[in-house]
Amino acid sequence: KLIEEEEERERQRLADEMARQEADAAQKLVEEEQAVRLLARRQEAEAAQKLIEEEEERERQRLADEMARQEADAAQKLVEEEQAVRLLARRQEAEAAQKLIEEEE
């Protein structure tokens, strides 16, 4: 009877040990699945952040290009206005000279 009781205690100890190992394995699996999900969410967040940053950079570049175009347009307009002023001045000088020539004749 003592041997049977000892064998029963040993079976119970082994059963308890197996149950503990199974619980540990299940807990480890849960933790690994949580880690995988967390990593996936982190990667999704990083990808979304990268897309946002790329879109912001494209918008900055578009605005910079637009400003450069406007500055070039303004500079071209200024050049054209200066040319028109010089042309008008030369025309007025030519007309004045022509008038003087006509008056002298």
Side-chain angles (χ1 to χ4, degrees), residues 7-48:
E7 288 175 348
E8 180 58 32
R9 282 195 296 275
E10 182 62 17
R11 277 193 295 276
Q12 188 60 47
R13 188 189 67 74
L14 290 174
D16 292 347
E17 177 66 18
M18 286 181 62
R20 189 190 58 74
Q21 289 177 357
E22 288 175 0
D24 289 350
Q27 180 62 32
K28 185 176 180 182
L29 184 59
V30 166
E31 291 170 358
E32 289 172 352
E33 289 173 351
Q34 289 174 340
V36 167
R37 285 194 299 273
L38 181 60
L39 178 60
R41 284 196 299 268
R42 183 178 299 136
Q43 289 172 340
E44 289 172 2
E46 289 171 354

Side-chain angles (χ1 to χ4, degrees), residues 37-69:
R37 285 194 299 273
L38 181 60
L39 178 60
R41 284 196 299 268
R42 183 178 299 136
Q43 289 172 340
E44 289 172 2
E46 289 171 354
Q49 182 63 31
K50 185 176 180 181
L51 287 175
I52 290 168
E53 290 170 359
E54 290 171 353
E55 182 61 29
E56 289 173 344
E57 180 56 32
R58 281 193 294 274
E59 181 62 13
R60 278 193 292 274
Q61 188 59 49
R62 186 191 69 75
L63 291 173
D65 293 348
E66 177 66 17
M67 287 179 64
R69 187 190 60 74

Side-chain angles (χ1 to χ4, degrees), residues 54-93:
E54 290 171 353
E55 182 61 29
E56 289 173 344
E57 180 56 32
R58 281 193 294 274
E59 181 62 13
R60 278 193 292 274
Q61 188 59 49
R62 186 191 69 75
L63 291 173
D65 293 348
E66 177 66 17
M67 287 179 64
R69 187 190 60 74
Q70 289 176 358
E71 289 174 359
D73 289 350
Q76 180 63 31
K77 185 175 180 182
L78 185 59
V79 166
E80 292 169 358
E81 289 172 351
E82 290 172 350
Q83 289 173 340
V85 166
R86 286 194 299 273
L87 181 60
L88 179 58
R90 283 196 300 269
R91 184 178 299 134
Q92 289 172 342
E93 289 172 2

